[in-house]
Amino acid sequence: MPCRMLRRDACLVFLASVLPLAAQAAGPAVVPPAARPDWDALLALAARLRALDQDGLNPAHYAIPADARATADPQGYAAALYAAAWAAVSDLLQGRVRYLPGRPDLRRDIVALPAWQARLHGSPDPAQVVEQAALLPPGTDLLRSALREARARVEAGGWPKVPPSATPDTMTIEPGVVDPVRVPALRARVAAEDAALAAEVPADPAAYDETLLDAVKRWQSAYNLDADGRVGPATLAVMNRPAEARVAQLRVALDQRRAMPRPQPGRRIEVNVPDFRLKLLEGERALLDMAVIVGKPQRATPLLSVTMTTVQFNPPWGVPERNAREDLLPKFRRDPRAMIEKGFRVFQYIGGERVEVDPLSVNWAAVNPERVPYLFRQDAGDFSALGRIKFIMPNSDDIYLHDTPDRGLFARRDRAFSSGCIRLERPMDLLGAVLEGTPGWDRAKADAALESRQTSAVGLRRPLPVRLVYQTAVVEGGRLRLRPDIYGLDAAYVRALDQRVPPAAPPPPPAAVVAGAAAPTAVVAR
């Protein structure tokens, strides 16, 4: 200890005399004389700051002074300690990463920082103030516990690895197989997270038996994988993911939850993209909760904060250029007649006018994929990629919610299959909810509009806020769900988290005042 026992009283007297100066150096608040912390409290504060890694933060970012400095420079030590504490409390309250490009979902509530600064400097136990700030977001205890376990796993050498197959035809480990190398490795990997399996002594360690099958299914379900017991490439990729990646994921989750906006009282829609879920919320109550299909990694669903304004019945699909080039052109080359039967029409601009072209007259093999000279449109109908309903929320990315004829995909755990828009498991349920309060509209009229097979639209009397967010760690009902980082956004977040100075938001553009400007009143759906 820097203040040896024989000098303890002298150190205490000196530190007490300089603590008000230290507080002033760290901020405007002044330590009340009755609340001056004793030497043990200061050491506890220093120890708590050195344990910031339990909160997902890096203690090295906060210039925590060495305890030995207290003897040589008590005033400087106290000032540096409080400065480090306030920097840490600020990050615990507001989140260390407050801005990332392309992440409008990272929103923070305004925090009453002066009140917390006064609390820190006025407390006889400042370490406890740091802990209070750390535990403020709901679910923090559960995330910190998971982070502690993940760090312990890293220190123990990581997860047991399941080796790849020596031959391509046995890549998947099938239930019932006997394999003296891969099955024991699989058992060890699952047992590392499954106490029931770890307690079992198998009759034949090389056999993929029923006990191991049940455990693998539990493990797959916990990781949002198809729980069929077949250990193929998708399951193996998650099993062999480095333990350090789990640590990074939980650090991101802890920081994202700080100063998270409180639920608004009105209705709103939230789509958590990597969780493949949509919720219609009213305050903290979920009125609807359904599976969704989101964009595949190469066509990621953008994160947005928009407003749903319109519902379109029997929508046609104006095919975006990329979809036309990468998806439709190969299908037209294979069988243009089948594409006609699915309602696709082809157009071309000739002399400045859009002219419909007979798909059977086109030499599709000669069309350059890089310069497709045609426009494609799919008429409303049973085969329409948009199904029977489209929920319009105007945005520059032309992203919307819609029905789909491919209902079987909702049974999959990984549902990143779309070209960016969001396909709904239960569009009729959402339709009924969003039409509430719209004069002249009820479920019967909506059914009639759908049955007419005609394209029509209705503006919502109560437009709904819609947020597309990205959270791979979900805390609900006292349980933690971890989802894959399908777009690599957690990886980008943790890089920002580990920068000594996290990225700052650019200054807002100057407000433009346009005389006579009016908000758009119509939406043109493609």
Side-chain angles (χ1 to χ4, degrees):
M1 181 179 292
C3 288
R4 300 188 181 279
M5 295 303 295
L6 293 176
R7 303 175 59 198
R8 179 184 176 92
D9 290 344
C11 284
L12 283 172
V13 169
F14 190 79
L15 282 168
S17 69
V18 302
L19 277 172
L21 298 175
Q24 291 172 22
V30 178
V31 181
R36 288 173 183 162
D38 61 20
W39 176 245
D40 289 334
L42 289 178
L43 289 179
L45 174 60
R48 178 61 183 88
L49 295 178
R50 293 188 187 104
L52 283 169
D53 55 356
Q54 75 182 22
D55 308 294
L57 301 177
N58 184 351
H61 290 154
Y62 297 96
I64 306 164
D67 289 345
R69 183 178 172 185
T71 301
D73 180 15
Q75 180 174 334
Y77 173 79
L81 186 60
Y82 270 91
W86 178 240
V89 167
S90 297
D91 284 350
L92 289 170
L93 291 172
Q94 301 177 107
R96 179 168 174 79
V97 178
R98 297 165 202 167
Y99 166 78
L100 279 177
R103 293 297 303 270
D105 60 319
L106 298 180
R107 299 192 306 169
R108 311 285 189 185
D109 264 347
I110 296 175
V111 179
L113 293 179
W116 276 93
Q117 191 174 48
R119 185 185 303 185
L120 175 69
H121 292 306
S123 173
D125 186 1
Q128 187 58 33
V129 177
V130 176
E131 181 70 359
Q132 290 167 359
L135 290 175
L136 209 56
T140 296
D141 264 340
L142 192 59
L143 288 167
R144 288 206 314 191
S145 176
L147 178 60
R148 186 166 53 250
E149 293 173 4
R151 289 191 189 279
R153 174 57 60 180
V154 170
E155 292 172 4
W159 307 107
K161 298 291 184 184
V162 182
S165 172
T167 57
D169 58 333
T170 58
M171 182 68 69
T172 298
I173 307 176
E174 300 283 359
V177 73
V178 176
D179 185 325
V181 176
R182 300 184 80 203
V183 170
L186 173 63
R187 191 182 303 275
R189 173 63 185 91
V190 177
E193 296 184 88
D194 191 310
L197 179 64
E200 292 284 339
V201 179
D204 181 358
Y208 190 170
D209 56 22
E210 288 294 325
T211 300
L212 179 56
L213 174 60
D214 291 341
V216 169
K217 287 181 177 179
R218 290 194 298 270
W219 189 94
Q220 288 173 320
S221 181
Y223 282 90
N224 205 38
L225 298 164
D226 292 326
D228 54 10
R230 303 178 72 245
V231 183
T235 295
L236 284 171
V238 179
M239 283 187 168
N240 289 334
R241 186 182 180 218
E244 291 84 356
R246 174 84 59 87
V247 171
Q249 182 178 21
L250 293 165
R251 291 179 63 211
V252 169
L254 281 162
D255 198 62
Q256 274 189 317
R257 298 175 75 83
R258 291 169 182 140
M260 185 177 288
R262 296 175 182 174
Q264 298 300 307
R267 288 191 178 186
R268 67 195 187 281
I269 291 172
E270 289 190 2
V271 178
N272 187 0
V273 173
D275 197 29
F276 311 115
R277 305 296 304 180
L278 175 147
K279 291 184 179 182
L280 174 63
L281 300 163
E282 191 165 56
E284 297 187 13
R285 186 165 62 102
L287 305 179
L288 282 178
D289 185 347
M290 71 178 74
V292 296
I293 293 170
V294 302
K296 60 189 75 172
Q298 59 270 35
R299 299 184 192 175
T301 297
L303 306 178
L304 302 171
S305 183
V306 292
T307 301
M308 181 186 295
T309 61
T310 309
V311 174
Q312 189 176 43
F313 302 98
N314 301 306
W317 181 34
V319 182
E321 181 181 342
R322 181 173 181 179
N323 297 64
R325 182 176 65 250
E326 297 179 3
D327 302 335
L328 294 194
L329 182 57
K331 294 178 181 179
F332 271 98
R333 284 174 171 171
R334 285 195 300 269
D335 192 347
R337 191 175 299 278
M339 299 300 284
I340 295 172
E341 292 172 355
K342 290 182 178 180
F344 283 98
R345 299 163 67 186
V346 181
F347 299 87
Q348 186 176 26
Y349 277 99
I350 299 176
E353 293 187 5
R354 193 173 77 162
V355 178
E356 187 165 3
V357 177
D358 180 0
L360 299 179
S361 69
V362 177
N363 180 6
W364 293 105
V367 174
N368 182 355
E370 299 304 318
R371 292 186 178 182
V372 179
Y374 302 107
L375 304 175
F376 298 86
R377 174 186 171 100
Q378 187 180 30
D379 288 338
D382 294 334
F383 297 106
S384 171
L386 304 188
R388 307 298 297 278
I389 310 172
K390 174 180 176 181
F391 299 87
I392 298 172
M393 42 192 200
N395 60 87
S396 60
D397 294 292
D398 198 20
I399 296 298
Y400 42 83
L401 316 179
H402 65 90
D403 183 19
T404 175
D406 299 322
R407 312 305 303 173
L409 293 177
F410 290 105
R412 299 280 298 272
R413 292 298 189 97
D414 176 5
R415 295 189 292 276
F417 300 120
S418 84
S419 294
C421 289
I422 296 164
R423 307 177 194 171
L424 302 171
E425 179 187 32
R426 305 197 320 266
M428 293 303 293
D429 290 350
L430 183 60
L431 176 65
V434 302
L435 284 180
E436 287 182 13
T438 300
W441 282 89
D442 55 19
R443 180 60 180 267
K445 184 169 181 179
D447 288 341
L450 291 169
E451 291 302 319
S452 74
R453 303 282 175 157
Q454 299 298 310
T455 299
S456 60
V458 56
L460 302 182
R461 181 179 181 180
R462 296 191 301 180
L464 278 176
V466 180
R467 292 186 66 222
L468 311 186
V469 303
Y470 195 93
Q471 297 172 1
T472 64
V474 181
V475 177
E476 280 184 349
R479 297 176 64 87
L480 173 63
R481 293 199 312 273
L482 296 178
R483 295 298 180 246
D485 183 15
I486 56 175
Y487 299 158
L489 298 187
D490 276 3
Y493 195 112
V494 84
R495 287 194 295 271
L497 193 60
D498 285 336
Q499 292 179 20
R500 183 162 291 277
V501 179
V513 179
V514 181
T521 58
V523 174
V524 178
R526 291 197 297 163

PDB file of all heavy atoms in Angstrom, residues 202 204 243 255 300 422:
ATOM      1  N   PRO A 202     -21.168 -41.700 -21.652  1.00  0.00           N
ATOM      2  CA  PRO A 202     -21.708 -42.448 -22.792  1.00  0.00           C
ATOM      3  C   PRO A 202     -21.233 -43.895 -22.797  1.00  0.00           C
ATOM      4  O   PRO A 202     -20.096 -44.199 -22.412  1.00  0.00           O
ATOM      5  CB  PRO A 202     -21.161 -41.685 -23.991  1.00  0.00           C
ATOM      6  CG  PRO A 202     -19.903 -41.043 -23.499  1.00  0.00           C
ATOM      7  CD  PRO A 202     -20.155 -40.701 -22.056  1.00  0.00           C
ATOM      8  N   ASP A 204     -20.757 -45.580 -25.534  1.00  0.00           N
ATOM      9  CA  ASP A 204     -19.756 -45.609 -26.600  1.00  0.00           C
ATOM     10  C   ASP A 204     -19.450 -44.162 -26.974  1.00  0.00           C
ATOM     11  O   ASP A 204     -20.238 -43.516 -27.656  1.00  0.00           O
ATOM     12  CB  ASP A 204     -20.294 -46.377 -27.812  1.00  0.00           C
ATOM     13  CG  ASP A 204     -19.270 -46.449 -28.942  1.00  0.00           C
ATOM     14  OD1 ASP A 204     -18.164 -45.877 -28.787  1.00  0.00           O
ATOM     15  OD2 ASP A 204     -19.572 -47.064 -29.982  1.00  0.00           O
ATOM     16  N   ALA A 243     -13.998 -18.082 -28.896  1.00  0.00           N
ATOM     17  CA  ALA A 243     -14.628 -17.581 -27.670  1.00  0.00           C
ATOM     18  C   ALA A 243     -14.465 -16.078 -27.542  1.00  0.00           C
ATOM     19  O   ALA A 243     -15.301 -15.404 -26.929  1.00  0.00           O
ATOM     20  CB  ALA A 243     -14.027 -18.291 -26.456  1.00  0.00           C
ATOM     21  N   ASP A 255     -22.699  -1.877 -24.178  1.00  0.00           N
ATOM     22  CA  ASP A 255     -22.561  -0.466 -24.537  1.00  0.00           C
ATOM     23  C   ASP A 255     -23.790   0.041 -25.282  1.00  0.00           C
ATOM     24  O   ASP A 255     -24.203   1.195 -25.095  1.00  0.00           O
ATOM     25  CB  ASP A 255     -21.306  -0.253 -25.381  1.00  0.00           C
ATOM     26  CG  ASP A 255     -20.871   1.204 -25.401  1.00  0.00           C
ATOM     27  OD1 ASP A 255     -20.546   1.739 -24.327  1.00  0.00           O
ATOM     28  OD2 ASP A 255     -20.889   1.815 -26.481  1.00  0.00           O
ATOM     29  N   ALA A 300     -27.934  -6.310 -47.616  1.00  0.00           N
ATOM     30  CA  ALA A 300     -28.342  -6.087 -46.224  1.00  0.00           C
ATOM     31  C   ALA A 300     -29.510  -5.119 -46.123  1.00  0.00           C
ATOM     32  O   ALA A 300     -29.580  -4.116 -46.841  1.00  0.00           O
ATOM     33  CB  ALA A 300     -27.153  -5.561 -45.419  1.00  0.00           C
ATOM     34  N   ILE A 422     -38.488  -6.363 -46.060  1.00  0.00           N
ATOM     35  CA  ILE A 422     -38.821  -7.236 -44.938  1.00  0.00           C
ATOM     36  C   ILE A 422     -40.113  -7.975 -45.229  1.00  0.00           C
ATOM     37  O   ILE A 422     -41.166  -7.358 -45.428  1.00  0.00           O
ATOM     38  CB  ILE A 422     -38.940  -6.404 -43.644  1.00  0.00           C
ATOM     39  CG1 ILE A 422     -37.573  -5.788 -43.320  1.00  0.00           C
ATOM     40  CG2 ILE A 422     -39.431  -7.255 -42.489  1.00  0.00           C
ATOM     41  CD1 ILE A 422     -37.623  -4.668 -42.332  1.00  0.00           C
TER      42      ILE A 422
END
